[in-house]
Amino acid sequence: QQPVQSPQAVILREGEDAVINCSSSKALYSVHWYRQKHGEAPVFLMILLKGGEQKGHDKISASFNEKKQQSSLYLTASQLSYSGTYFCGTERGSGTYKYIFGTGTRLKVLA
Amino acid sequence: NAGVTQTPKFRVLKTGQSMTLLCAQDMNHEYMYWYRQDPGMGLRLIHYSVGEGTTAKGEVPDGYNVSRLKKQNFLLGLESAAPSQTSVYFCASKSRGLNTGELFFGEGSRLTVL
């Protein structure tokens, strides 16, 4: 099964914060995050390889809780450019290179 | 540097027709993937390949076949198209190595089956 993301959709005003969660019923060996603008291909944001790892650049960061099989993406002081659909991705089985994606979260930032 | 190129970008088929989508990458990547994207379903893995001459089933492989005769190309075939296969198809590739997790995507191919 695909990892499940929550919320399914969120609307923000510029400057507000958001958290997107990714939860898997199976073990997560690594977690990737992507953003997809409407009509475009997904674009890589970051990868977390170890449980407990946290990463970030600019005002977007993420955490990975391996034991809980969850990852969260944090968007701080959102900008209009953050609008899009966010996907978490994971390798289904360590070393298989079988990459699957979560159900997606649609984010809309309003001026 | 083109990256990942998909052809065609758009196609309309009638039920029962066959077609092939071509994915070509110029980054010498080992791993290649085909996904379909439907509203509310995210990206679902159809088939993938970990090297030239190898293919493996993804999460939704039924109704599709693939081939990877050359390292740079990954073909997705529909033998007898069905309306349920109307979707946007994305190809992606990835280099070998655990720490290089980035998948590079093509622009997508929009397929409509009538």
Side-chain angles (χ1 to χ4, degrees):
Chain A
Q1 299 106 316
Q2 292 176 280
V4 176
Q5 291 181 228
S6 62
Q8 287 186 322
V10 59
I11 299 175
L12 301 172
R13 292 283 180 187
E14 266 188 302
E16 292 181 338
D17 301 339
V19 180
I20 298 172
N21 299 304
C22 173
S23 181
S24 174
S25 60
K26 297 186 179 181
L28 288 173
Y29 297 98
S30 62
V31 179
H32 328 147
W33 284 96
Y34 289 77
R35 176 171 60 210
Q36 183 181 29
K37 300 279 187 178
H38 182 70
E40 299 180 5
V43 174
F44 177 78
L45 294 176
M46 66 186 78
I47 181 173
L48 300 98
L49 296 174
K50 301 176 184 177
E53 184 174 13
Q54 296 190 33
K55 274 192 176 180
H57 59 83
D58 197 10
K59 295 174 181 172
I60 299 176
S61 61
S63 64
F64 178 19
N65 188 323
E66 196 171 9
K67 287 184 179 179
K68 290 186 177 181
Q69 298 172 178
Q70 294 176 343
S71 178
S72 295
L73 185 72
Y74 307 93
L75 298 101
T76 305
S78 58
Q79 307 166 15
L80 294 175
S81 61
Y82 287 3
S83 292
T85 301
Y86 290 79
F87 294 101
C88 63
T90 187
E91 184 184 10
R92 180 58 85 211
S94 181
T96 66
Y97 298 103
K98 181 179 180 181
Y99 286 97
I100 63 172
F101 287 86
T103 50
T105 296
R106 294 189 307 279
L107 180 77
K108 177 75 172 177
V109 180
L110 302 176
Chain B
N1 200 354
V4 179
T5 303
Q6 294 180 225
T7 52
K9 299 280 192 294
F10 301 92
R11 185 73 186 269
V12 178
L13 289 177
K14 293 182 180 178
T15 297
Q17 287 184 319
S18 63
M19 76 157 296
T20 300
L21 295 175
L22 170 64
C23 176
Q25 52 96 3
D26 61 4
M27 296 173 283
N28 202 35
H29 284 170
E30 290 291 336
Y31 311 123
M32 296 187 74
Y33 305 83
W34 275 109
Y35 295 91
R36 60 176 290 173
Q37 184 171 34
D38 304 295
M41 299 294 292
L43 292 153
R44 292 185 291 170
L45 180 64
I46 305 171
H47 286 282
Y48 66 107
S49 168
V50 299
E52 181 179 320
T54 72
T55 62
K57 291 182 179 180
E59 308 285 284
V60 289
D62 294 342
Y64 304 95
N65 56 74
V66 288
S67 64
R68 182 116 181 254
L69 299 179
K70 293 182 179 180
K71 186 177 182 179
Q72 64 267 32
N73 295 337
F74 195 28
L75 279 66
L76 177 71
L78 286 73
E79 292 183 344
S80 180
S84 61
Q85 293 178 303
T86 293
S87 188
V88 179
Y89 292 85
F90 284 99
C91 175
S93 70
K94 178 189 176 303
S95 66
R96 187 191 299 273
L98 285 176
N99 292 328
T100 55
E102 180 175 2
L103 271 69
F104 291 83
F105 285 85
E107 293 182 342
S109 297
R110 184 175 295 274
L111 174 66
T112 302
V113 183
L114 303 175

